[in-house]
Amino acid sequence: MTKYQQIKSHILAQIESGNWAEGDTVPSENQLAQTFSVSRMTARRALQELAEQGVLKRTQGAATCVASLKNQSSMLQIRNIADEIRDRQHAYRAEVIELDRRDASSLIASHFHFASGDPLFYSLICHWQDNTPLQLEERFINPVLAPGYLEQDFTRVTPHEYLCSVAPLTEAEHMVEAILADPLSQTHLHIKPGTACLRLHRTTWCRDGVVSHARLTHPGGKYQLGGHLTFPR
Amino acid sequence: MTKYQQIKSHILAQIESGNWAEGDTVPSENQLAQTFSVSRMTARRALQELAEQGVLKRTQGAATCVASLKNQSSMLQIRNIADEIRDRQHAYRAEVIELDRRDASSLIASHFHFASGDPLFYSLICHWQDNTPLQLEERFINPVLAPGYLEQDFTRVTPHEYLCSVAPLTEAEHMVEAILADPLSQTHLHIKPGTACLRLHRTTWCRDGVVSHARLTHPGGKYQLGGHLTFPR
DNA sequence: CGGTTCATCTTGTATAGACAAGTTGATTCT
DNA sequence: AGAATCAACTTGTCTATACAAGATGAACCG
């Protein structure tokens, strides 16, 4: 392990342990250089690379801070449905339909590498744009990694926001499919049988394992998913 | 403009002009340092940053080369349907249903910032996995940026591959929607009316403008789109 | 001819120093 | 008190040098 890598991992360790919180200023190049007995350029490299990764935020003349966890990796953004609706200048409202504990079906259990029948938290939430239901969010949560899930008020904070705060996600997997509206979707999205729906499956991991598995269903129409992509050259 | 930025843009200019092709070795740090009258560390920074962006590929001890355009930004991969099917160990076959010139409808013209009625190239291709039609690709092409499009044999090279070779793409925009199978899809994908389909709209740009607009339709079932995502920390 | 060694190229890491440029807060002056 | 100045700190760019580590081909030797 090279010296600048040692410094990088030291900084990451401080952040992951919660020792250095979001927005805190981290030691300056000169301070790091001194405490690690390296030259300033070596300490600098550690800070620089972490800044490129989006972990730190540097401002010339001022300081280097721990970046906000939100804006991490917005490449394929895991965007907040609430923010999305509000960005479009519409009123957002969440309707919590169900929030309880239930046993994993074999299909769901497989996503968590659990045994079928293991207990999971479950939430069914409908996200409204003005007076239209726009997304039905069915979510299964690992109770070990998010023990306080059932006590949250999801009309104020979306499940995704809450989960990010308790278990910073490190990986995600997505799958989309087109389906015909199932009874649950028909009821809560106010759509007729035979309507085409877009369903997004999302599994999120934090360092310690699968945090949650969500089925997001959008009624027919269009839903912009990938957004814009700029290539490096 | 700082010195290392000047060197970066010089290198990028050489690549974009086609002067330095994919796989060519670019000047070494010392050579660059000499020709630009800077220290090696400054030349190095230019090469390093371009390597991080994926434009160059460096191997210690050997040389620095122009990276392949394929593996650029595989974040949200614009994957080749043919490669995807072959990766899954199935036989791939393309059926060219239509390949000609046609006038832009107002909807399509808007994607190209063309006037309605302007001529465009058009292709309708069905991609088969073994004996099952898996994707119907309807594509409109900017004849100015890909003049040779109609002369290609798309049973051998996919349109996407061909377009990448003549107009290296710099940007892409995606949108997915769920639809009920339209007559065209019913016919060529061999599905019944009322089947849910996944439709991906993709617009690709090269430096000089919109290259093509595609409508990719998948019959019902599941289609993995986003794939796996790893977050920086 | 085949294999080894070695000089020479490359990139990678690290150092110490210099100056530029931006921020911040304390001091000073009005 | 309010405004201007300035010193001290930060990050950003650049230089010159040194050595480590990997790749490559030429010279050499068996």
Side-chain angles (χ1 to χ4, degrees):
Chain A
M1 179 116 85
T2 60
K3 295 189 183 178
Y4 74 90
Q5 283 171 336
Q6 289 174 31
I7 301 177
K8 274 176 75 172
S9 21
H10 171 256
I11 294 173
L12 284 174
Q14 296 299 315
I15 294 174
E16 281 183 19
S17 74
N19 217 335
W20 296 351
E22 183 178 322
D24 284 6
T25 68
V26 310
S28 74
E29 296 176 358
N30 285 319
Q31 287 173 343
L32 282 175
Q34 201 165 0
T35 60
F36 282 88
S37 304
V38 298
S39 76
R40 183 194 147 206
M41 291 306 281
T42 303
R44 173 179 180 73
R45 178 163 179 182
L47 293 173
Q48 189 116 33
E49 291 193 2
L50 289 173
E52 272 160 26
Q53 285 174 38
V55 177
L56 301 179
K57 185 169 160 55
R58 319 192 75 194
T59 40
Q60 181 173 1
T64 304
C65 310
V66 178
S68 84
L69 299 115
K70 285 181 192 171
N71 306 327
Q72 294 284 107
S73 176
S74 62
M75 250 300 173
L76 196 164
Q77 316 156 301
I78 300 208
R79 272 206 80 184
N80 203 306
I81 180 86
D83 291 344
E84 222 167 79
I85 290 173
R86 290 201 191 96
D87 278 1
R88 289 197 295 256
Q89 308 288 333
H90 289 276
Y92 166 77
R93 185 166 61 84
E95 175 193 3
V96 179
I97 300 163
E98 212 175 322
L99 179 60
D100 51 24
R101 179 171 329 207
R102 61 169 61 182
D103 295 341
S105 70
S106 64
L107 176 67
I108 296 297
S110 70
H111 284 110
F112 287 86
H113 306 290
F114 277 10
S116 163
D118 284 354
L120 289 175
F121 295 156
Y122 173 80
S123 64
L124 180 63
I125 295 173
C126 188
H127 301 276
W128 293 66
Q129 169 176 309
D130 297 331
N131 295 314
T132 314
L134 199 68
Q135 183 190 90
L136 187 65
E137 173 188 345
E138 209 179 358
R139 188 181 286 269
F140 299 88
I141 300 92
N142 186 334
V144 178
L145 296 176
Y149 190 79
L150 297 182
E151 281 74 50
Q152 301 310 308
D153 177 6
F154 291 123
T155 60
R156 300 172 49 87
V157 182
T158 63
H160 181 250
E161 281 173 334
Y162 171 70
L163 290 173
C164 278
S165 70
V166 296
L169 50 76
T170 56
E171 281 175 88
E173 199 168 76
H174 290 89
M175 201 256 291
V176 282
E177 65 176 324
I179 59 161
L180 293 178
D182 57 10
L184 202 66
S185 308
Q186 288 168 32
T187 306
H188 296 106
L189 294 173
H190 302 177
I191 52 181
K192 297 204 181 85
T195 308
C197 290
L198 192 67
R199 177 168 283 176
L200 175 68
H201 300 255
R202 175 189 295 163
T203 308
T204 52
W205 280 258
C206 78
R207 212 168 13 125
D208 305 318
V210 174
V211 179
S212 87
H213 179 79
R215 282 202 292 248
L216 311 174
T217 309
H218 290 264
K222 295 180 184 182
Y223 177 66
Q224 189 151 4
L225 191 112
H228 203 69
L229 251 189
T230 306
F231 290 82
R233 82 162 90 131
Chain B
M1 182 121 83
T2 61
K3 294 189 183 177
Y4 75 89
Q5 283 171 336
Q6 288 173 32
I7 301 177
K8 274 177 76 172
S9 19
H10 172 257
I11 295 173
L12 283 174
Q14 297 297 316
I15 294 174
E16 281 183 19
S17 75
N19 216 335
W20 295 351
E22 182 179 321
D24 285 5
T25 69
V26 310
S28 74
E29 296 176 356
N30 286 318
Q31 286 173 342
L32 281 176
Q34 200 165 0
T35 61
F36 282 89
S37 303
V38 297
S39 79
R40 184 193 145 207
M41 291 304 282
T42 303
R44 174 180 179 73
R45 177 161 179 185
L47 292 173
Q48 188 115 31
E49 291 193 0
L50 288 173
E52 272 161 26
Q53 287 175 37
V55 176
L56 300 179
K57 187 169 158 57
R58 319 192 76 195
T59 41
Q60 180 173 1
T64 305
C65 310
V66 178
S68 83
L69 298 112
K70 284 181 196 172
N71 306 330
Q72 294 283 110
S73 175
S74 62
M75 251 301 174
L76 195 164
Q77 317 157 299
I78 300 207
R79 270 206 82 183
N80 204 307
I81 180 86
D83 291 344
E84 221 166 81
I85 289 173
R86 290 201 191 97
D87 278 1
R88 288 196 295 256
Q89 308 288 335
H90 290 277
Y92 167 77
R93 183 166 62 83
E95 174 193 2
V96 180
I97 300 162
E98 212 174 322
L99 180 60
D100 51 23
R101 181 170 325 198
R102 61 169 62 182
D103 296 340
S105 70
S106 63
L107 176 66
I108 296 296
S110 69
H111 284 109
F112 287 85
H113 305 291
F114 278 9
S116 161
D118 284 354
L120 288 174
F121 294 155
Y122 173 81
S123 64
L124 180 64
I125 295 173
C126 189
H127 300 276
W128 292 66
Q129 169 174 310
D130 298 329
N131 295 313
T132 314
L134 199 68
Q135 182 190 89
L136 187 65
E137 171 188 347
E138 208 178 359
R139 189 181 285 270
F140 298 88
I141 300 93
N142 186 334
V144 178
L145 296 175
Y149 190 80
L150 297 182
E151 280 75 50
Q152 302 309 309
D153 177 6
F154 290 122
T155 60
R156 300 174 50 87
V157 182
T158 65
H160 182 251
E161 280 172 334
Y162 171 69
L163 290 174
C164 277
S165 70
V166 297
L169 50 74
T170 55
E171 280 175 89
E173 200 168 76
H174 291 89
M175 200 257 292
V176 282
E177 64 175 325
I179 59 162
L180 293 178
D182 57 11
L184 202 66
S185 307
Q186 290 169 31
T187 306
H188 296 106
L189 294 173
H190 302 177
I191 51 181
K192 297 205 181 84
T195 309
C197 290
L198 192 66
R199 177 166 285 176
L200 175 68
H201 299 255
R202 175 190 293 165
T203 309
T204 52
W205 279 259
C206 78
R207 214 172 9 132
D208 306 318
V210 174
V211 179
S212 87
H213 179 77
R215 283 201 292 246
L216 311 174
T217 309
H218 290 263
K222 294 180 186 182
Y223 177 66
Q224 189 153 4
L225 192 113
H228 203 70
L229 252 188
T230 306
F231 291 82
R233 84 162 90 131

mmCIF file of all heavy atoms in Angstrom, chain A residues 71-105:
data_model
loop_
_atom_site.group_PDB
_atom_site.id
_atom_site.type_symbol
_atom_site.label_atom_id
_atom_site.label_comp_id
_atom_site.label_asym_id
_atom_site.label_seq_id
_atom_site.Cartn_x
_atom_site.Cartn_y
_atom_site.Cartn_z
ATOM 1 N N ASN A 71 -25.392 13.764 -3.049
ATOM 2 C CA ASN A 71 -25.006 13.958 -4.438
ATOM 3 C C ASN A 71 -23.980 12.947 -4.926
ATOM 4 O O ASN A 71 -23.433 13.100 -6.003
ATOM 5 C CB ASN A 71 -24.490 15.380 -4.616
ATOM 6 C CG ASN A 71 -25.488 16.395 -4.125
ATOM 7 O OD1 ASN A 71 -26.678 16.158 -4.222
ATOM 8 N ND2 ASN A 71 -25.015 17.499 -3.597
ATOM 9 N N GLN A 72 -23.729 11.949 -4.132
ATOM 10 C CA GLN A 72 -22.832 10.885 -4.541
ATOM 11 C C GLN A 72 -23.328 10.248 -5.827
ATOM 12 O O GLN A 72 -24.488 9.909 -5.926
ATOM 13 C CB GLN A 72 -22.832 9.786 -3.480
ATOM 14 C CG GLN A 72 -22.261 10.182 -2.167
ATOM 15 C CD GLN A 72 -20.759 10.249 -2.217
ATOM 16 O OE1 GLN A 72 -20.202 11.323 -2.202
ATOM 17 N NE2 GLN A 72 -20.127 9.118 -2.336
ATOM 18 N N SER A 73 -22.439 10.065 -6.752
ATOM 19 C CA SER A 73 -22.750 9.242 -7.913
ATOM 20 C C SER A 73 -24.122 9.512 -8.498
ATOM 21 O O SER A 73 -25.039 8.736 -8.321
ATOM 22 C CB SER A 73 -22.686 7.768 -7.533
ATOM 23 O OG SER A 73 -23.081 6.992 -8.635
ATOM 24 N N SER A 74 -24.240 10.612 -9.180
ATOM 25 C CA SER A 74 -25.535 10.911 -9.775
ATOM 26 C C SER A 74 -25.592 10.406 -11.209
ATOM 27 O O SER A 74 -26.396 10.833 -11.993
ATOM 28 C CB SER A 74 -25.778 12.410 -9.739
ATOM 29 O OG SER A 74 -24.789 13.051 -10.501
ATOM 30 N N MET A 75 -24.693 9.490 -11.521
ATOM 31 C CA MET A 75 -24.608 8.987 -12.895
ATOM 32 C C MET A 75 -25.945 8.406 -13.331
ATOM 33 O O MET A 75 -26.605 8.936 -14.199
ATOM 34 C CB MET A 75 -23.538 7.902 -12.991
ATOM 35 C CG MET A 75 -22.327 8.320 -13.771
ATOM 36 S SD MET A 75 -22.662 8.778 -15.462
ATOM 37 C CE MET A 75 -21.068 9.380 -15.942
ATOM 38 N N LEU A 76 -26.271 7.300 -12.749
ATOM 39 C CA LEU A 76 -27.634 6.833 -12.917
ATOM 40 C C LEU A 76 -28.259 7.141 -11.584
ATOM 41 O O LEU A 76 -28.127 6.384 -10.645
ATOM 42 C CB LEU A 76 -27.672 5.341 -13.225
ATOM 43 C CG LEU A 76 -29.012 4.856 -13.778
ATOM 44 C CD1 LEU A 76 -28.835 3.500 -14.416
ATOM 45 C CD2 LEU A 76 -30.107 4.813 -12.778
ATOM 46 N N GLN A 77 -28.868 8.297 -11.518
ATOM 47 C CA GLN A 77 -29.337 8.762 -10.232
ATOM 48 C C GLN A 77 -30.397 7.835 -9.677
ATOM 49 O O GLN A 77 -31.266 7.372 -10.378
ATOM 50 C CB GLN A 77 -29.969 10.141 -10.386
ATOM 51 C CG GLN A 77 -29.182 11.063 -11.256
ATOM 52 C CD GLN A 77 -30.082 12.129 -11.852
ATOM 53 O OE1 GLN A 77 -31.039 11.824 -12.546
ATOM 54 N NE2 GLN A 77 -29.753 13.368 -11.582
ATOM 55 N N ILE A 78 -30.253 7.570 -8.395
ATOM 56 C CA ILE A 78 -31.355 6.950 -7.694
ATOM 57 C C ILE A 78 -32.146 8.120 -7.169
ATOM 58 O O ILE A 78 -31.905 8.618 -6.077
ATOM 59 C CB ILE A 78 -30.843 6.061 -6.561
ATOM 60 C CG1 ILE A 78 -29.972 4.988 -7.146
ATOM 61 C CG2 ILE A 78 -32.003 5.488 -5.786
ATOM 62 C CD1 ILE A 78 -29.926 3.727 -6.382
ATOM 63 N N ARG A 79 -33.019 8.595 -7.995
ATOM 64 C CA ARG A 79 -33.658 9.847 -7.641
ATOM 65 C C ARG A 79 -34.856 9.636 -6.768
ATOM 66 O O ARG A 79 -35.559 8.631 -6.836
ATOM 67 C CB ARG A 79 -34.079 10.610 -8.897
ATOM 68 C CG ARG A 79 -32.964 11.476 -9.376
ATOM 69 C CD ARG A 79 -33.481 12.640 -10.148
ATOM 70 N NE ARG A 79 -33.963 13.699 -9.299
ATOM 71 C CZ ARG A 79 -34.527 14.788 -9.791
ATOM 72 N NH1 ARG A 79 -34.688 14.920 -11.074
ATOM 73 N NH2 ARG A 79 -34.943 15.734 -8.976
ATOM 74 N N ASN A 80 -35.044 10.638 -6.005
ATOM 75 C CA ASN A 80 -36.134 10.661 -5.078
ATOM 76 C C ASN A 80 -37.404 11.040 -5.828
ATOM 77 O O ASN A 80 -37.446 12.065 -6.478
ATOM 78 C CB ASN A 80 -35.780 11.726 -4.052
ATOM 79 C CG ASN A 80 -36.484 11.493 -2.795
ATOM 80 O OD1 ASN A 80 -37.693 11.384 -2.820
ATOM 81 N ND2 ASN A 80 -35.750 11.385 -1.716
ATOM 82 N N ILE A 81 -38.410 10.230 -5.713
ATOM 83 C CA ILE A 81 -39.644 10.539 -6.425
ATOM 84 C C ILE A 81 -40.215 11.876 -5.963
ATOM 85 O O ILE A 81 -40.737 12.655 -6.754
ATOM 86 C CB ILE A 81 -40.679 9.402 -6.247
ATOM 87 C CG1 ILE A 81 -41.979 9.691 -6.986
ATOM 88 C CG2 ILE A 81 -40.979 9.155 -4.781
ATOM 89 C CD1 ILE A 81 -41.982 9.286 -8.411
ATOM 90 N N ALA A 82 -40.055 12.154 -4.670
ATOM 91 C CA ALA A 82 -40.585 13.409 -4.132
ATOM 92 C C ALA A 82 -39.877 14.604 -4.759
ATOM 93 O O ALA A 82 -40.515 15.548 -5.235
ATOM 94 C CB ALA A 82 -40.417 13.430 -2.616
ATOM 95 N N ASP A 83 -38.541 14.549 -4.798
ATOM 96 C CA ASP A 83 -37.786 15.642 -5.394
ATOM 97 C C ASP A 83 -38.145 15.805 -6.864
ATOM 98 O O ASP A 83 -38.272 16.915 -7.374
ATOM 99 C CB ASP A 83 -36.281 15.367 -5.287
ATOM 100 C CG ASP A 83 -35.802 15.449 -3.844
ATOM 101 O OD1 ASP A 83 -36.558 16.005 -3.019
ATOM 102 O OD2 ASP A 83 -34.707 14.958 -3.564
ATOM 103 N N GLU A 84 -38.334 14.660 -7.507
ATOM 104 C CA GLU A 84 -38.620 14.688 -8.931
ATOM 105 C C GLU A 84 -39.923 15.431 -9.204
ATOM 106 O O GLU A 84 -40.010 16.262 -10.100
ATOM 107 C CB GLU A 84 -38.744 13.245 -9.420
ATOM 108 C CG GLU A 84 -38.093 12.990 -10.736
ATOM 109 C CD GLU A 84 -37.981 11.501 -10.973
ATOM 110 O OE1 GLU A 84 -38.995 10.908 -11.360
ATOM 111 O OE2 GLU A 84 -36.888 10.940 -10.774
ATOM 112 N N ILE A 85 -40.910 15.111 -8.404
ATOM 113 C CA ILE A 85 -42.214 15.749 -8.596
ATOM 114 C C ILE A 85 -42.134 17.230 -8.256
ATOM 115 O O ILE A 85 -42.631 18.085 -8.979
ATOM 116 C CB ILE A 85 -43.288 15.044 -7.735
ATOM 117 C CG1 ILE A 85 -43.561 13.660 -8.317
ATOM 118 C CG2 ILE A 85 -44.555 15.869 -7.655
ATOM 119 C CD1 ILE A 85 -44.468 12.791 -7.472
ATOM 120 N N ARG A 86 -41.443 17.527 -7.169
ATOM 121 C CA ARG A 86 -41.340 18.932 -6.767
ATOM 122 C C ARG A 86 -40.540 19.731 -7.786
ATOM 123 O O ARG A 86 -40.836 20.881 -8.055
ATOM 124 C CB ARG A 86 -40.678 19.040 -5.394
ATOM 125 C CG ARG A 86 -41.572 18.512 -4.275
ATOM 126 C CD ARG A 86 -41.166 19.058 -2.927
ATOM 127 N NE ARG A 86 -41.855 18.340 -1.847
ATOM 128 C CZ ARG A 86 -41.334 17.325 -1.176
ATOM 129 N NH1 ARG A 86 -40.109 16.891 -1.464
ATOM 130 N NH2 ARG A 86 -42.012 16.744 -0.212
ATOM 131 N N ASP A 87 -39.519 19.109 -8.375
ATOM 132 C CA ASP A 87 -38.738 19.790 -9.407
ATOM 133 C C ASP A 87 -39.618 20.183 -10.583
ATOM 134 O O ASP A 87 -39.354 21.160 -11.267
ATOM 135 C CB ASP A 87 -37.616 18.876 -9.929
ATOM 136 C CG ASP A 87 -36.410 18.897 -9.013
ATOM 137 O OD1 ASP A 87 -36.470 19.599 -7.988
ATOM 138 O OD2 ASP A 87 -35.424 18.225 -9.330
ATOM 139 N N ARG A 88 -40.619 19.389 -10.819
ATOM 140 C CA ARG A 88 -41.514 19.682 -11.944
ATOM 141 C C ARG A 88 -42.608 20.652 -11.537
ATOM 142 O O ARG A 88 -43.595 20.832 -12.243
ATOM 143 C CB ARG A 88 -42.144 18.378 -12.452
ATOM 144 C CG ARG A 88 -41.161 17.468 -13.171
ATOM 145 C CD ARG A 88 -41.916 16.419 -13.989
ATOM 146 N NE ARG A 88 -42.685 15.507 -13.139
ATOM 147 C CZ ARG A 88 -42.314 14.265 -12.856
ATOM 148 N NH1 ARG A 88 -41.194 13.803 -13.348
ATOM 149 N NH2 ARG A 88 -43.058 13.491 -12.103
ATOM 150 N N GLN A 89 -42.470 21.213 -10.357
ATOM 151 C CA GLN A 89 -43.404 22.233 -9.894
ATOM 152 C C GLN A 89 -44.797 21.686 -9.639
ATOM 153 O O GLN A 89 -45.792 22.318 -9.945
ATOM 154 C CB GLN A 89 -43.495 23.393 -10.897
ATOM 155 C CG GLN A 89 -42.166 23.991 -11.313
ATOM 156 C CD GLN A 89 -41.536 24.796 -10.182
ATOM 157 O OE1 GLN A 89 -42.255 25.315 -9.329
ATOM 158 N NE2 GLN A 89 -40.228 24.881 -10.158
ATOM 159 N N HIS A 90 -44.843 20.444 -9.115
ATOM 160 C CA HIS A 90 -46.128 19.896 -8.747
ATOM 161 C C HIS A 90 -46.144 19.647 -7.247
ATOM 162 O O HIS A 90 -45.094 19.581 -6.607
ATOM 163 C CB HIS A 90 -46.387 18.585 -9.487
ATOM 164 C CG HIS A 90 -46.638 18.774 -10.941
ATOM 165 N ND1 HIS A 90 -47.859 19.099 -11.460
ATOM 166 C CD2 HIS A 90 -45.799 18.705 -12.005
ATOM 167 C CE1 HIS A 90 -47.776 19.206 -12.761
ATOM 168 N NE2 HIS A 90 -46.527 18.973 -13.130
ATOM 169 N N ALA A 91 -47.339 19.473 -6.722
ATOM 170 C CA ALA A 91 -47.457 19.173 -5.302
ATOM 171 C C ALA A 91 -47.211 17.688 -5.099
ATOM 172 O O ALA A 91 -47.706 16.858 -5.858
ATOM 173 C CB ALA A 91 -48.845 19.556 -4.803
ATOM 174 N N TYR A 92 -46.417 17.365 -4.097
ATOM 175 C CA TYR A 92 -46.119 15.970 -3.811
ATOM 176 C C TYR A 92 -46.803 15.556 -2.514
ATOM 177 O O TYR A 92 -46.857 16.325 -1.557
ATOM 178 C CB TYR A 92 -44.619 15.751 -3.685
ATOM 179 C CG TYR A 92 -44.278 14.415 -3.076
ATOM 180 C CD1 TYR A 92 -44.369 13.265 -3.841
ATOM 181 C CD2 TYR A 92 -43.913 14.311 -1.743
ATOM 182 C CE1 TYR A 92 -44.097 12.031 -3.277
ATOM 183 C CE2 TYR A 92 -43.626 13.082 -1.172
ATOM 184 C CZ TYR A 92 -43.727 11.945 -1.948
ATOM 185 O OH TYR A 92 -43.464 10.728 -1.398
ATOM 186 N N ARG A 93 -47.308 14.331 -2.523
ATOM 187 C CA ARG A 93 -47.931 13.809 -1.315
ATOM 188 C C ARG A 93 -47.714 12.303 -1.268
ATOM 189 O O ARG A 93 -47.791 11.633 -2.299
ATOM 190 C CB ARG A 93 -49.438 14.110 -1.336
ATOM 191 C CG ARG A 93 -50.191 13.718 -0.087
ATOM 192 C CD ARG A 93 -51.572 14.368 -0.097
ATOM 193 N NE ARG A 93 -52.358 13.926 -1.251
ATOM 194 C CZ ARG A 93 -53.063 12.791 -1.279
ATOM 195 N NH1 ARG A 93 -53.081 12.001 -0.214
ATOM 196 N NH2 ARG A 93 -53.766 12.458 -2.333
ATOM 197 N N ALA A 94 -47.431 11.794 -0.094
ATOM 198 C CA ALA A 94 -47.260 10.349 0.055
ATOM 199 C C ALA A 94 -48.406 9.786 0.886
ATOM 200 O O ALA A 94 -48.820 10.399 1.881
ATOM 201 C CB ALA A 94 -45.927 10.042 0.726
ATOM 202 N N GLU A 95 -48.916 8.650 0.452
ATOM 203 C CA GLU A 95 -50.000 7.993 1.174
ATOM 204 C C GLU A 95 -49.471 6.641 1.658
ATOM 205 O O GLU A 95 -49.133 5.779 0.843
ATOM 206 C CB GLU A 95 -51.185 7.804 0.217
ATOM 207 C CG GLU A 95 -52.344 7.028 0.768
ATOM 208 C CD GLU A 95 -53.309 6.618 -0.358
ATOM 209 O OE1 GLU A 95 -53.026 6.904 -1.535
ATOM 210 O OE2 GLU A 95 -54.332 6.000 -0.038
ATOM 211 N N VAL A 96 -49.368 6.499 2.969
ATOM 212 C CA VAL A 96 -48.870 5.239 3.518
ATOM 213 C C VAL A 96 -50.042 4.269 3.632
ATOM 214 O O VAL A 96 -50.963 4.483 4.426
ATOM 215 C CB VAL A 96 -48.214 5.446 4.898
ATOM 216 C CG1 VAL A 96 -47.728 4.117 5.457
ATOM 217 C CG2 VAL A 96 -47.073 6.435 4.786
ATOM 218 N N ILE A 97 -50.021 3.234 2.811
ATOM 219 C CA ILE A 97 -51.150 2.304 2.767
ATOM 220 C C ILE A 97 -50.939 1.163 3.750
ATOM 221 O O ILE A 97 -51.869 0.702 4.393
ATOM 222 C CB ILE A 97 -51.321 1.762 1.338
ATOM 223 C CG1 ILE A 97 -51.589 2.932 0.383
ATOM 224 C CG2 ILE A 97 -52.440 0.742 1.260
ATOM 225 C CD1 ILE A 97 -51.367 2.611 -1.060
ATOM 226 N N GLU A 98 -49.709 0.738 3.836
ATOM 227 C CA GLU A 98 -49.419 -0.373 4.735
ATOM 228 C C GLU A 98 -47.998 -0.214 5.250
ATOM 229 O O GLU A 98 -47.122 0.270 4.532
ATOM 230 C CB GLU A 98 -49.583 -1.698 3.980
ATOM 231 C CG GLU A 98 -50.066 -2.836 4.842
ATOM 232 C CD GLU A 98 -50.333 -4.076 4.022
ATOM 233 O OE1 GLU A 98 -50.845 -3.950 2.885
ATOM 234 O OE2 GLU A 98 -50.015 -5.182 4.497
ATOM 235 N N LEU A 99 -47.781 -0.616 6.484
ATOM 236 C CA LEU A 99 -46.451 -0.522 7.064
ATOM 237 C C LEU A 99 -46.393 -1.522 8.210
ATOM 238 O O LEU A 99 -46.924 -1.271 9.275
ATOM 239 C CB LEU A 99 -46.191 0.908 7.579
ATOM 240 C CG LEU A 99 -44.844 1.193 8.237
ATOM 241 C CD1 LEU A 99 -43.706 0.939 7.277
ATOM 242 C CD2 LEU A 99 -44.797 2.650 8.724
ATOM 243 N N ASP A 100 -45.810 -2.674 7.945
ATOM 244 C CA ASP A 100 -45.798 -3.693 8.988
ATOM 245 C C ASP A 100 -44.705 -4.721 8.736
ATOM 246 O O ASP A 100 -43.847 -4.530 7.894
ATOM 247 C CB ASP A 100 -47.158 -4.379 9.075
ATOM 248 C CG ASP A 100 -47.637 -4.855 7.713
ATOM 249 O OD1 ASP A 100 -46.772 -5.064 6.827
ATOM 250 O OD2 ASP A 100 -48.849 -5.004 7.516
ATOM 251 N N ARG A 101 -44.798 -5.776 9.503
ATOM 252 C CA ARG A 101 -43.833 -6.864 9.423
ATOM 253 C C ARG A 101 -44.496 -8.027 8.705
ATOM 254 O O ARG A 101 -45.682 -8.262 8.886
ATOM 255 C CB ARG A 101 -43.490 -7.267 10.851
ATOM 256 C CG ARG A 101 -42.515 -8.395 11.025
ATOM 257 C CD ARG A 101 -42.179 -8.427 12.488
ATOM 258 N NE ARG A 101 -42.258 -7.043 12.982
ATOM 259 C CZ ARG A 101 -41.585 -6.565 14.003
ATOM 260 N NH1 ARG A 101 -40.823 -7.318 14.678
ATOM 261 N NH2 ARG A 101 -41.700 -5.302 14.374
ATOM 262 N N ARG A 102 -43.776 -8.698 7.855
ATOM 263 C CA ARG A 102 -44.364 -9.899 7.249
ATOM 264 C C ARG A 102 -43.275 -10.900 6.900
ATOM 265 O O ARG A 102 -42.100 -10.555 6.830
ATOM 266 C CB ARG A 102 -45.218 -9.556 6.039
ATOM 267 C CG ARG A 102 -44.482 -8.879 4.921
ATOM 268 C CD ARG A 102 -45.352 -8.828 3.688
ATOM 269 N NE ARG A 102 -46.583 -8.059 3.906
ATOM 270 C CZ ARG A 102 -47.522 -7.911 2.985
ATOM 271 N NH1 ARG A 102 -47.387 -8.511 1.807
ATOM 272 N NH2 ARG A 102 -48.591 -7.194 3.222
ATOM 273 N N ASP A 103 -43.713 -12.128 6.670
ATOM 274 C CA ASP A 103 -42.738 -13.174 6.369
ATOM 275 C C ASP A 103 -42.390 -13.146 4.888
ATOM 276 O O ASP A 103 -43.245 -12.888 4.042
ATOM 277 C CB ASP A 103 -43.319 -14.547 6.751
ATOM 278 C CG ASP A 103 -43.528 -14.639 8.254
ATOM 279 O OD1 ASP A 103 -42.908 -13.824 8.972
ATOM 280 O OD2 ASP A 103 -44.311 -15.498 8.699
ATOM 281 N N ALA A 104 -41.123 -13.419 4.606
ATOM 282 C CA ALA A 104 -40.644 -13.348 3.228
ATOM 283 C C ALA A 104 -41.196 -14.501 2.406
ATOM 284 O O ALA A 104 -41.166 -15.658 2.825
ATOM 285 C CB ALA A 104 -39.120 -13.379 3.214
ATOM 286 N N SER A 105 -41.713 -14.164 1.239
ATOM 287 C CA SER A 105 -42.024 -15.216 0.278
ATOM 288 C C SER A 105 -40.704 -15.743 -0.263
ATOM 289 O O SER A 105 -39.662 -15.113 -0.108
ATOM 290 C CB SER A 105 -42.862 -14.644 -0.868
ATOM 291 O OG SER A 105 -42.061 -13.788 -1.660
#
